[in-house]
Amino acid sequence: MSEVARYTRRMVLGTGLAMAATVALGGVAFAADTVKLGVSIPAATHGFTGGIVWWANQAKAELEKAHPNLKITVKTAGGAPEQANQLQDLVTVTGINSLVIFPFESAALTQPVMQAKKKGVYVTVVDRGLTDTSAQDAYIAGDNTAFGRIPAEYIAKKYNGKANIVALRGIPTTLDNERWEAFTGVLKQYPDIKILDGKYANWNRDDAFKVTQDFLTRFKDIDVIWAADDDMAFGVLKAIEQAKRTDIKEVFGGAGSKTMVKTIMDGSNPLIHADVSYSPKFIYDAIKMTAEARLKGDKLPATHIIPSALITKENAKEFYFPDSPY
């Protein structure tokens, strides 16, 4: 690195740190002349994160138009190291004073977020919690307990407490554990509902197709398949169609993708009747809540859980966002 480059970097770093120190002196709750809000999210590698990116940019466009003294910078990362580097740039180069972050991984991002908070940045963490909650000012997430509980209650009621079920889980995370424990916790109350097996399919359509092929080979009598994500549910449907199985009565996905919601609205697939909401729109809500609070010099509640709801033909239009990629 040349001397000029070194000098320039020192000046940028010094300016960013001075700005952070000025903000910190005012306390956590401050009213800045301009709120510089950084948004750090995973890249659009699959349907759900595609929705996250789309809703984040919707929030930027709408909120900057409504608030001239608000500047939002959206950064997307393909992995935890890239996200950590982007976070450092947001603080030292962009000079953000507020942050909304959807961590790529919990453990790997905890220390970088902590460093930002120590420099006076107000931090809202979304969905994937950090391993040290003192690194955040606020936490906003969907209701993962309800995500598992709602389909279990729906299945138990619809099938009168008697059914054979196989389940597809997501990725081994605390988030997935919450969903699974809620789902199985409800069904333990029904001795005639049997969970034949539950396997991870990584919230991935192709993996779900393979896991379902295995289930269909091993189990000859299945009533319901719970796929804890709509991307996985479409993989399940493909495997059922290919195997020409007629015993399966229903596939229940999750997260309320626009394709799944439209299927429910139209009644176009006899295996799809309901879903549970867990929309990537929560990143929009998190950005809006954080921006509007900081513009007023306010803080958010320490925790805000966005409810999940059962989606059926009767209410599906309320959850249908045709312009969203998910």
PDB file of all heavy atoms in Angstrom, residues 272-293:
ATOM      1  N   ILE A 272     -52.170 -29.139  -1.386  1.00  0.00           N
ATOM      2  CA  ILE A 272     -51.842 -27.895  -0.700  1.00  0.00           C
ATOM      3  C   ILE A 272     -53.126 -27.199  -0.256  1.00  0.00           C
ATOM      4  O   ILE A 272     -53.940 -26.779  -1.088  1.00  0.00           O
ATOM      5  CB  ILE A 272     -51.032 -26.947  -1.607  1.00  0.00           C
ATOM      6  CG1 ILE A 272     -49.735 -27.608  -2.067  1.00  0.00           C
ATOM      7  CG2 ILE A 272     -50.759 -25.626  -0.904  1.00  0.00           C
ATOM      8  CD1 ILE A 272     -48.760 -27.919  -0.943  1.00  0.00           C
ATOM      9  N   HIS A 273     -53.282 -27.084   1.061  1.00  0.00           N
ATOM     10  CA  HIS A 273     -54.487 -26.457   1.609  1.00  0.00           C
ATOM     11  C   HIS A 273     -54.184 -25.303   2.554  1.00  0.00           C
ATOM     12  O   HIS A 273     -55.048 -24.445   2.777  1.00  0.00           O
ATOM     13  CB  HIS A 273     -55.331 -27.489   2.358  1.00  0.00           C
ATOM     14  CG  HIS A 273     -55.709 -28.677   1.533  1.00  0.00           C
ATOM     15  ND1 HIS A 273     -56.706 -28.642   0.587  1.00  0.00           N
ATOM     16  CD2 HIS A 273     -55.204 -29.936   1.499  1.00  0.00           C
ATOM     17  CE1 HIS A 273     -56.810 -29.833   0.007  1.00  0.00           C
ATOM     18  NE2 HIS A 273     -55.901 -30.635   0.530  1.00  0.00           N
ATOM     19  N   ALA A 274     -52.993 -25.279   3.133  1.00  0.00           N
ATOM     20  CA  ALA A 274     -52.689 -24.267   4.138  1.00  0.00           C
ATOM     21  C   ALA A 274     -51.177 -24.060   4.231  1.00  0.00           C
ATOM     22  O   ALA A 274     -50.384 -24.848   3.705  1.00  0.00           O
ATOM     23  CB  ALA A 274     -53.249 -24.690   5.505  1.00  0.00           C
ATOM     24  N   ASP A 275     -50.800 -22.997   4.909  1.00  0.00           N
ATOM     25  CA  ASP A 275     -49.394 -22.652   5.092  1.00  0.00           C
ATOM     26  C   ASP A 275     -49.296 -21.819   6.370  1.00  0.00           C
ATOM     27  O   ASP A 275     -50.331 -21.461   6.965  1.00  0.00           O
ATOM     28  CB  ASP A 275     -48.883 -21.860   3.879  1.00  0.00           C
ATOM     29  CG  ASP A 275     -47.369 -21.918   3.729  1.00  0.00           C
ATOM     30  OD1 ASP A 275     -46.855 -23.012   3.458  1.00  0.00           O
ATOM     31  OD2 ASP A 275     -46.720 -20.879   3.869  1.00  0.00           O
ATOM     32  N   VAL A 276     -48.089 -21.513   6.793  1.00  0.00           N
ATOM     33  CA  VAL A 276     -47.896 -20.643   7.958  1.00  0.00           C
ATOM     34  C   VAL A 276     -47.001 -19.483   7.534  1.00  0.00           C
ATOM     35  O   VAL A 276     -46.030 -19.663   6.811  1.00  0.00           O
ATOM     36  CB  VAL A 276     -47.288 -21.419   9.152  1.00  0.00           C
ATOM     37  CG1 VAL A 276     -45.929 -22.009   8.812  1.00  0.00           C
ATOM     38  CG2 VAL A 276     -47.205 -20.535  10.391  1.00  0.00           C
ATOM     39  N   SER A 277     -47.367 -18.292   7.962  1.00  0.00           N
ATOM     40  CA  SER A 277     -46.622 -17.105   7.527  1.00  0.00           C
ATOM     41  C   SER A 277     -45.299 -16.976   8.283  1.00  0.00           C
ATOM     42  O   SER A 277     -45.200 -17.267   9.473  1.00  0.00           O
ATOM     43  CB  SER A 277     -47.464 -15.846   7.751  1.00  0.00           C
ATOM     44  OG  SER A 277     -47.672 -15.606   9.129  1.00  0.00           O
ATOM     45  N   TYR A 278     -44.278 -16.575   7.564  1.00  0.00           N
ATOM     46  CA  TYR A 278     -42.977 -16.198   8.123  1.00  0.00           C
ATOM     47  C   TYR A 278     -42.282 -15.428   7.016  1.00  0.00           C
ATOM     48  O   TYR A 278     -41.297 -15.846   6.442  1.00  0.00           O
ATOM     49  CB  TYR A 278     -42.163 -17.438   8.521  1.00  0.00           C
ATOM     50  CG  TYR A 278     -40.996 -17.144   9.448  1.00  0.00           C
ATOM     51  CD1 TYR A 278     -41.169 -17.179  10.826  1.00  0.00           C
ATOM     52  CD2 TYR A 278     -39.743 -16.842   8.948  1.00  0.00           C
ATOM     53  CE1 TYR A 278     -40.112 -16.927  11.689  1.00  0.00           C
ATOM     54  CE2 TYR A 278     -38.670 -16.588   9.794  1.00  0.00           C
ATOM     55  CZ  TYR A 278     -38.868 -16.636  11.163  1.00  0.00           C
ATOM     56  OH  TYR A 278     -37.810 -16.374  12.021  1.00  0.00           O
ATOM     57  N   SER A 279     -42.863 -14.285   6.708  1.00  0.00           N
ATOM     58  CA  SER A 279     -42.481 -13.564   5.499  1.00  0.00           C
ATOM     59  C   SER A 279     -41.139 -12.869   5.638  1.00  0.00           C
ATOM     60  O   SER A 279     -40.830 -12.302   6.692  1.00  0.00           O
ATOM     61  CB  SER A 279     -43.554 -12.517   5.175  1.00  0.00           C
ATOM     62  OG  SER A 279     -43.126 -11.673   4.119  1.00  0.00           O
ATOM     63  N   PRO A 280     -40.332 -12.875   4.555  1.00  0.00           N
ATOM     64  CA  PRO A 280     -39.103 -12.070   4.564  1.00  0.00           C
ATOM     65  C   PRO A 280     -39.380 -10.582   4.691  1.00  0.00           C
ATOM     66  O   PRO A 280     -38.462  -9.784   4.859  1.00  0.00           O
ATOM     67  CB  PRO A 280     -38.445 -12.417   3.218  1.00  0.00           C
ATOM     68  CG  PRO A 280     -39.546 -12.934   2.361  1.00  0.00           C
ATOM     69  CD  PRO A 280     -40.498 -13.611   3.288  1.00  0.00           C
ATOM     70  N   LYS A 281     -40.645 -10.193   4.640  1.00  0.00           N
ATOM     71  CA  LYS A 281     -41.021  -8.787   4.843  1.00  0.00           C
ATOM     72  C   LYS A 281     -40.592  -8.280   6.217  1.00  0.00           C
ATOM     73  O   LYS A 281     -40.558  -7.067   6.444  1.00  0.00           O
ATOM     74  CB  LYS A 281     -42.525  -8.617   4.652  1.00  0.00           C
ATOM     75  CG  LYS A 281     -43.013  -7.171   4.736  1.00  0.00           C
ATOM     76  CD  LYS A 281     -44.511  -7.093   4.493  1.00  0.00           C
ATOM     77  CE  LYS A 281     -45.017  -5.656   4.623  1.00  0.00           C
ATOM     78  NZ  LYS A 281     -44.958  -5.169   6.004  1.00  0.00           N
ATOM     79  N   PHE A 282     -40.243  -9.185   7.145  1.00  0.00           N
ATOM     80  CA  PHE A 282     -39.848  -8.681   8.464  1.00  0.00           C
ATOM     81  C   PHE A 282     -38.591  -7.816   8.392  1.00  0.00           C
ATOM     82  O   PHE A 282     -38.357  -6.980   9.271  1.00  0.00           O
ATOM     83  CB  PHE A 282     -39.716  -9.788   9.515  1.00  0.00           C
ATOM     84  CG  PHE A 282     -38.705 -10.867   9.268  1.00  0.00           C
ATOM     85  CD1 PHE A 282     -37.412 -10.607   8.869  1.00  0.00           C
ATOM     86  CD2 PHE A 282     -39.058 -12.206   9.475  1.00  0.00           C
ATOM     87  CE1 PHE A 282     -36.486 -11.615   8.665  1.00  0.00           C
ATOM     88  CE2 PHE A 282     -38.142 -13.222   9.280  1.00  0.00           C
ATOM     89  CZ  PHE A 282     -36.846 -12.912   8.872  1.00  0.00           C
ATOM     90  N   ILE A 283     -37.777  -7.974   7.335  1.00  0.00           N
ATOM     91  CA  ILE A 283     -36.612  -7.093   7.201  1.00  0.00           C
ATOM     92  C   ILE A 283     -37.086  -5.666   6.883  1.00  0.00           C
ATOM     93  O   ILE A 283     -36.504  -4.687   7.374  1.00  0.00           O
ATOM     94  CB  ILE A 283     -35.624  -7.618   6.134  1.00  0.00           C
ATOM     95  CG1 ILE A 283     -34.266  -6.894   6.264  1.00  0.00           C
ATOM     96  CG2 ILE A 283     -36.181  -7.468   4.742  1.00  0.00           C
ATOM     97  CD1 ILE A 283     -33.500  -7.237   7.490  1.00  0.00           C
ATOM     98  N   TYR A 284     -38.133  -5.538   6.080  1.00  0.00           N
ATOM     99  CA  TYR A 284     -38.743  -4.232   5.808  1.00  0.00           C
ATOM    100  C   TYR A 284     -39.241  -3.619   7.107  1.00  0.00           C
ATOM    101  O   TYR A 284     -38.989  -2.435   7.392  1.00  0.00           O
ATOM    102  CB  TYR A 284     -39.892  -4.409   4.810  1.00  0.00           C
ATOM    103  CG  TYR A 284     -40.687  -3.162   4.514  1.00  0.00           C
ATOM    104  CD1 TYR A 284     -40.469  -2.436   3.347  1.00  0.00           C
ATOM    105  CD2 TYR A 284     -41.680  -2.720   5.388  1.00  0.00           C
ATOM    106  CE1 TYR A 284     -41.210  -1.289   3.065  1.00  0.00           C
ATOM    107  CE2 TYR A 284     -42.418  -1.574   5.127  1.00  0.00           C
ATOM    108  CZ  TYR A 284     -42.174  -0.873   3.960  1.00  0.00           C
ATOM    109  OH  TYR A 284     -42.906   0.265   3.696  1.00  0.00           O
ATOM    110  N   ASP A 285     -39.972  -4.419   7.890  1.00  0.00           N
ATOM    111  CA  ASP A 285     -40.506  -3.923   9.159  1.00  0.00           C
ATOM    112  C   ASP A 285     -39.388  -3.486  10.096  1.00  0.00           C
ATOM    113  O   ASP A 285     -39.487  -2.450  10.764  1.00  0.00           O
ATOM    114  CB  ASP A 285     -41.356  -5.005   9.830  1.00  0.00           C
ATOM    115  CG  ASP A 285     -42.564  -5.399   8.991  1.00  0.00           C
ATOM    116  OD1 ASP A 285     -43.080  -4.534   8.252  1.00  0.00           O
ATOM    117  OD2 ASP A 285     -42.988  -6.562   9.073  1.00  0.00           O
ATOM    118  N   ALA A 286     -38.302  -4.270  10.141  1.00  0.00           N
ATOM    119  CA  ALA A 286     -37.185  -3.951  11.029  1.00  0.00           C
ATOM    120  C   ALA A 286     -36.501  -2.645  10.612  1.00  0.00           C
ATOM    121  O   ALA A 286     -36.143  -1.821  11.463  1.00  0.00           O
ATOM    122  CB  ALA A 286     -36.182  -5.096  11.039  1.00  0.00           C
ATOM    123  N   ILE A 287     -36.314  -2.471   9.308  1.00  0.00           N
ATOM    124  CA  ILE A 287     -35.680  -1.249   8.807  1.00  0.00           C
ATOM    125  C   ILE A 287     -36.571  -0.037   9.100  1.00  0.00           C
ATOM    126  O   ILE A 287     -36.105   1.005   9.576  1.00  0.00           O
ATOM    127  CB  ILE A 287     -35.393  -1.370   7.299  1.00  0.00           C
ATOM    128  CG1 ILE A 287     -34.357  -2.468   7.044  1.00  0.00           C
ATOM    129  CG2 ILE A 287     -34.909  -0.039   6.726  1.00  0.00           C
ATOM    130  CD1 ILE A 287     -34.229  -2.865   5.582  1.00  0.00           C
ATOM    131  N   LYS A 288     -37.860  -0.173   8.839  1.00  0.00           N
ATOM    132  CA  LYS A 288     -38.805   0.931   9.055  1.00  0.00           C
ATOM    133  C   LYS A 288     -38.872   1.298  10.536  1.00  0.00           C
ATOM    134  O   LYS A 288     -38.801   2.489  10.899  1.00  0.00           O
ATOM    135  CB  LYS A 288     -40.188   0.536   8.545  1.00  0.00           C
ATOM    136  CG  LYS A 288     -41.228   1.649   8.579  1.00  0.00           C
ATOM    137  CD  LYS A 288     -42.515   1.184   7.911  1.00  0.00           C
ATOM    138  CE  LYS A 288     -43.497   2.335   7.726  1.00  0.00           C
ATOM    139  NZ  LYS A 288     -44.044   2.850   8.985  1.00  0.00           N
ATOM    140  N   MET A 289     -38.999   0.302  11.394  1.00  0.00           N
ATOM    141  CA  MET A 289     -39.091   0.572  12.824  1.00  0.00           C
ATOM    142  C   MET A 289     -37.816   1.236  13.347  1.00  0.00           C
ATOM    143  O   MET A 289     -37.871   2.196  14.125  1.00  0.00           O
ATOM    144  CB  MET A 289     -39.354  -0.736  13.582  1.00  0.00           C
ATOM    145  CG  MET A 289     -40.733  -1.333  13.337  1.00  0.00           C
ATOM    146  SD  MET A 289     -40.866  -3.048  13.921  1.00  0.00           S
ATOM    147  CE  MET A 289     -40.606  -2.825  15.681  1.00  0.00           C
ATOM    148  N   THR A 290     -36.670   0.725  12.904  1.00  0.00           N
ATOM    149  CA  THR A 290     -35.397   1.281  13.370  1.00  0.00           C
ATOM    150  C   THR A 290     -35.201   2.699  12.867  1.00  0.00           C
ATOM    151  O   THR A 290     -34.839   3.605  13.631  1.00  0.00           O
ATOM    152  CB  THR A 290     -34.229   0.387  12.910  1.00  0.00           C
ATOM    153  OG1 THR A 290     -34.418  -0.940  13.420  1.00  0.00           O
ATOM    154  CG2 THR A 290     -32.899   0.922  13.422  1.00  0.00           C
ATOM    155  N   ALA A 291     -35.433   2.928  11.576  1.00  0.00           N
ATOM    156  CA  ALA A 291     -35.238   4.254  10.995  1.00  0.00           C
ATOM    157  C   ALA A 291     -36.128   5.292  11.652  1.00  0.00           C
ATOM    158  O   ALA A 291     -35.669   6.385  12.033  1.00  0.00           O
ATOM    159  CB  ALA A 291     -35.499   4.199   9.490  1.00  0.00           C
ATOM    160  N   GLU A 292     -37.400   4.973  11.808  1.00  0.00           N
ATOM    161  CA  GLU A 292     -38.335   5.943  12.369  1.00  0.00           C
ATOM    162  C   GLU A 292     -38.049   6.221  13.835  1.00  0.00           C
ATOM    163  O   GLU A 292     -38.202   7.363  14.306  1.00  0.00           O
ATOM    164  CB  GLU A 292     -39.771   5.464  12.152  1.00  0.00           C
ATOM    165  CG  GLU A 292     -40.161   5.481  10.670  1.00  0.00           C
ATOM    166  CD  GLU A 292     -41.568   5.008  10.396  1.00  0.00           C
ATOM    167  OE1 GLU A 292     -42.188   4.430  11.322  1.00  0.00           O
ATOM    168  OE2 GLU A 292     -42.046   5.209   9.259  1.00  0.00           O
ATOM    169  N   ALA A 293     -37.603   5.207  14.574  1.00  0.00           N
ATOM    170  CA  ALA A 293     -37.227   5.426  15.967  1.00  0.00           C
ATOM    171  C   ALA A 293     -36.000   6.319  16.075  1.00  0.00           C
ATOM    172  O   ALA A 293     -35.955   7.269  16.877  1.00  0.00           O
ATOM    173  CB  ALA A 293     -36.965   4.085  16.658  1.00  0.00           C
TER     174      ALA A 293
END
